[in-house]
Amino acid sequence: MPEGIIVKALSGYYYVKPLREGKISPEDEIIQCRARGIFKKKGLSPLVGDNVIYSLTENGEGMVDEINPRDSELIRPPVANVSLAVLLFSVREPDLNLQLLDKFLVHIEHAGLDTIIVLTKQDLADEDGEAIVHVKKLYEQIGYEVLVTSSRTGSGSEEVRKRLSGIISVFAGQSGVGKSSLLNRIVPGLSLETSEISMRLGRGRHTTRHVELMDIGEGGYVADTPGFSQLDFLELGVEELSSCFREFTPYAADCKFRGCTHLHEPGCRVIEAWEAGEIEDSRYEHYKLFFNEMKDKKRRY
Ligand SMILES: Nc1nc2c(ncn2[C@@H]2O[C@H](COP(=O)(O)OP(=O)(O)OP(=O)(O)O)[C@@H](O)[C@H]2O)c(=O)[nH]1
Ligand SMILES: [Zn+2]
């Protein structure tokens, strides 16, 4: 039975690109499929990104018969098998927001996704580029990969492109950070709309909200998520928060009390590490902030 990848889901139809020996062949056409009723009964629904087994029905249409096990699953945007989250933050316009970056990273860690941080609009940075150097060093020390790009000059886009081949990735970042501009740089002929207008209105606000996988060549797909600038994941428990701050982990294991919140306890190794300058101020502050928000306001994270 043929296999394929769902590249788009819209109005009850699933658009499947056939796979041959595990690879998508560019010549093959997309097959418009319905899904078997059995999925609904099981409370399961096919997602964009799903690897499926399908059969052909009459008039060139198809039927999704089986969904192969997923490697990962995002809630919003609803995409399966994403293996890389590309987090974009611009140096300016809008200003670099480290609190939002840390929030994204918490969720990425919780979801167990691989990630790269992309600092965009390098051309707008101050001459010495101090802010970029600081942020790059901070996150690289923690163990994250940080790339710096400018869609004006094209610098850095090749490095990003290399990271996207052969996998499904998702781009996330505030409106206006330059997601579309970077994708246009990476994929020749793509020409996604980029403008101040899209900044204000949010791309695709007025069109149907649907997720689509964008074929960027070399077996790479980017989940294009109109109107979405954030990622939503499964809910996170407050007791799981500290484990989502990667650099806390080696210290947290040695805290005096079990279940240490790392906020005030005596013998807390995380606090000691922060006081000794081994954990960055901004990171520890954001930990406290998220902790208190989750605890007090019972806000959804
Ligand atoms: N100077 C400079 N401007 C950029 C760069 N990249 C994007 N821009 C500008 O920033 C604005 C927003 O860029 P987009 O690519 O539309 O941003 P986006 O993240 O896709 O925005 P949404 O679609 O609203 O989510 C546009 O006016 C772009 O021309 C860059 O590297 N340097
Ligand atoms: Zn502690």
Side-chain angles (χ1 to χ4, degrees):
M1 291 256 268
E3 281 188 51
I5 290 182
I6 300 179
V7 293
K8 181 167 126 181
L10 190 64
S11 312
Y13 276 110
Y14 299 94
Y15 296 82
V16 176
K17 267 232 178 190
L19 285 169
R20 295 185 193 279
E21 287 160 9
K23 289 207 178 70
I24 285 180
S25 71
E27 303 89 62
D28 276 319
E29 281 178 16
I30 292 176
I31 299 159
Q32 182 173 327
C33 298
R34 293 266 180 206
R36 282 209 182 283
I38 183 85
F39 295 125
K40 204 168 244 171
K41 276 188 210 132
K42 288 189 193 162
L44 194 71
S45 69
L47 287 177
V48 169
D50 264 331
N51 198 309
V52 298
I53 295 171
Y54 67 94
S55 49
L56 289 173
T57 54
E58 62 274 15
N59 50 21
E61 289 198 356
M63 182 67 83
V64 174
D65 296 310
E66 261 179 68
I67 304 171
N68 289 323
R70 292 168 183 156
D71 289 337
S72 70
E73 186 179 332
L74 294 185
I75 310 297
R76 195 185 74 137
V79 189
N81 300 321
V82 167
S83 35
L84 181 73
V86 182
L87 305 182
L88 293 97
F89 284 84
S90 52
V91 177
R92 277 177 52 198
E93 299 175 15
D95 283 345
L96 203 58
N97 181 342
L98 292 188
Q99 189 182 316
L100 189 63
L101 173 54
D102 285 337
K103 194 172 282 186
F104 273 158
L105 289 175
V106 162
H107 287 292
I108 298 281
E109 292 293 335
H110 189 233
L113 275 180
D114 198 7
T115 186
I116 53 173
I117 298 166
V118 177
L119 302 178
T120 61
K121 308 196 188 182
Q122 183 181 26
D123 56 289
L124 295 182
D126 294 339
E127 225 153 273
D128 57 4
E130 205 185 331
I132 293 184
V133 173
H134 169 74
V135 172
K136 190 164 156 56
K137 189 163 155 241
L138 195 172
Y139 288 94
E140 279 177 349
Q141 265 170 1
I142 298 169
Y144 293 109
E145 189 179 345
V146 183
L147 300 176
V148 184
T149 65
S150 165
S151 297
R152 277 287 139 82
T153 68
S155 74
S157 60
E158 181 57 20
E159 279 168 282
V160 178
R161 192 187 60 80
K162 278 192 200 136
R163 293 290 274 108
L164 307 181
S165 78
I167 55 168
I168 300 176
S169 46
V170 62
F171 275 44
Q174 286 163 285
S175 183
V177 295
K179 297 181 289 294
S180 305
S181 303
L182 181 59
L183 281 168
N184 285 342
R185 271 281 177 188
I186 292 171
V187 190
L190 189 63
S191 63
L192 292 174
E193 185 200 332
T194 69
S195 66
E196 318 296 331
I197 293 168
S198 90
M199 252 170 82
R200 268 180 278 121
L201 298 178
R203 181 157 48 94
R205 191 71 47 95
H206 39 273
T207 59
T208 322
R209 280 201 172 186
H210 70 276
V211 185
E212 197 165 337
L213 290 187
M214 218 165 13
D215 186 348
I216 58 160
E218 294 177 39
Y221 285 87
V222 172
D224 184 32
T225 56
F228 296 130
S229 60
Q230 305 235 349
L231 296 171
D232 254 6
F233 297 98
L234 293 173
E235 226 158 301
L236 180 70
V238 72
E239 66 290 344
E240 296 171 292
L241 184 65
S242 74
S243 68
C244 297
F245 281 75
R246 250 189 219 185
E247 75 277 36
F248 290 15
T249 319
Y251 302 110
D254 292 334
C255 287
K256 192 166 167 213
F257 297 107
R258 275 189 71 197
C260 184
T261 62
H262 321 304
L263 295 177
H264 48 69
E265 291 88 341
C268 172
R269 293 283 296 115
V270 173
I271 297 175
E272 283 171 26
W274 165 61
E275 283 170 348
E278 285 155 35
I279 289 173
E280 193 76 20
D281 286 347
S282 64
R283 293 277 292 169
Y284 185 65
E285 269 157 31
H286 294 155
Y287 169 72
K288 282 199 293 191
L289 183 78
F290 300 163
F291 189 99
N292 289 324
E293 278 183 357
M294 288 166 85
K295 200 95 193 148
D296 302 344
K297 296 178 198 155
K298 295 241 182 294
R299 251 178 48 180
R300 194 178 176 285
Y301 258 69

